[in-house]
Amino acid sequence: MNKSGLEYDVYIFDLDGTLTESEPGIINSVQYALEKMNAPVSDRQLLRPFVGPPLVYSFVNTLHMTEDEAMRTVRFFQERYRRAGYLENSVYTGIPNMLRKLKALGAHLAVATAKPKEFAEKVLAAFGLDGYFDIVAAPMDEDEAKSKERLVRKVLAVESGRAVMVGDRDLDILAAKACGIDAIGALYGYGTREELESAGPVAICETVGELTKLLTGSDEVMPGAFISLEGCDGCGKSTQGKMLAQWLETRGYEVVRTREPGGCDVAERVREILLSPDTKGMTGICEAYLFAAARSQHVREVIKPAVERGAVVVCDRFVHSSIAYQGAGRGLGIDAVREINAIAVDGCLPDVAIWLDVDPALALERRFANNNPDRIERENAGFMNVVREGYAKIAAMDGTLTRVDASGEPEEVFQRVVGALKGIL
Ligand code: TMP
């Protein structure tokens, strides 16, 4: 064991089938290439062995092509993969957490993949993994792609200390052994148990969780993150929340999508009272306490446990809504509402609160598209303007609320949302 309690100093990961679930993009692109070669294969199952090993090798060995035909097919493959295939991919859930933990313990991390360097780097960057690795060993030409051993040696030439290779195929394990280092099989990828066992790894892990425990020596997870989405009614936060959850999931995060008021049984019941058009006589102070009461349950039952187990919570609205709606909108005052909520939130505040700011008139239009407005949505436009001013005040006062311009198409707004998250994930 080294001084941080890790068994190894250098951790070398295969990419496809070990860090990312790359099958869709690879198989779609192989099918495209085979069609171009007038040799279509519609059964995707038959093409599964193409995920991982060098493509030329697979075309020759699996489809019995000549080397020359295989090279031509690979060029068609690359044409589609470069355009669309590399994005038809996702990171296995738990991988970012594992990499973060290894990094925090001082490990050196590397990738050794048969994927051409151009594509390997594109995938790592597109899925937010590029920052973790000290070196990416990937082939610059077809010749280099043929030998995983050469790629592993590239890593070992620059990284010193005890190394281990993690991969999902026998070629990964055999390459590591040829280099004299230990290998661990990732059975959640594309290889079979028999294939991995016959290559002789020191261990086989069935899940990313098992692998994390084996590599880091503990079950403990790094805390996740808490993101809240804020704004006036009709600002588009549900759409953005959905897009954000999906974006995070494809990057390997466990995502808990929730909302306020609500998010758990007790709080959903309080939501019914709060939003029912029948509770017309409710005072602002009663409203503030009810939102805080629902929040206190939601924090303890859902948000805190999720963040503690390493998940990313994406919550529609949180305490900033109370400050803007009850503090500013109902005139209770920002400080009074903060105070009401202090015990409710129990120190659990968003790592990033994103305020989707949009012209209340535009939001109003979107609200009118909703033909069954709730009690608060029935407030007049003047109320929503005051709420917006409330958000603006909070954003100006402290760094807890980040304004994002929410005008324009959902995809444009989403790019701004992602920009606001830089640094927390
Ligand atoms: P929703 O329509 O976004 O689910 O939110 C329900 C309504 O509740 C919305 O009009 C905003 C309002 N609200 C507050 O007034 N204070 C709060 O603390 C929260 C969470 C929501």
Side-chain angles (χ1 to χ4, degrees), residues 230-231 233 237-238 259-261 271 275 287 291-292 295 316-323 325-326 330 341 374 376-377 383-384:
E230 292 287 350
D233 293 80
K237 80 194 145 31
S238 307
R259 68 169 182 182
E260 289 216 339
R271 179 185 175 97
L275 301 185
E287 204 177 84
F291 278 117
R295 182 163 299 130
D316 276 22
R317 304 194 177 281
F318 194 64
V319 69
H320 293 100
S321 281
S322 283
I323 301 173
Y325 279 76
Q326 282 67 52
R330 299 290 188 219
N341 277 277
D374 65 40
I376 298 177
E377 282 172 333
F383 176 80
M384 217 42 83

Side-chain angles (χ1 to χ4, degrees), residues 274-277 279 282 287 330 374-379:
L274 273 164
L275 301 185
S276 163
T279 53
M282 192 183 291
E287 204 177 84
R330 299 290 188 219
D374 65 40
R375 186 176 60 87
I376 298 177
E377 282 172 333
R378 287 170 194 225
E379 291 293 341

Side-chain angles (χ1 to χ4, degrees), residues 177-254:
K177 286 175 77 181
C179 296
I181 63 170
D182 284 351
I184 294 170
L187 190 56
Y188 54 83
Y190 299 110
T192 62
R193 183 176 283 281
E194 299 71 55
E195 171 187 330
L196 286 171
E197 271 172 359
S198 69
V202 292
I204 291 181
C205 295
E206 289 187 9
T207 61
V208 175
E210 217 179 282
L211 179 65
T212 306
K213 184 161 183 215
L214 181 71
L215 297 187
T216 63
S218 83
D219 264 340
E220 227 175 88
V221 290
M222 302 284 281
F226 177 17
I227 302 165
S228 65
L229 297 168
E230 292 287 350
C232 293
D233 293 80
C235 67
K237 80 194 145 31
S238 307
T239 308
Q240 293 301 318
K242 232 179 268 164
M243 292 168 87
L244 181 57
Q246 202 187 15
W247 186 88
L248 288 164
E249 270 160 6
T250 61
R251 277 155 186 79
Y253 294 95
E254 180 202 340

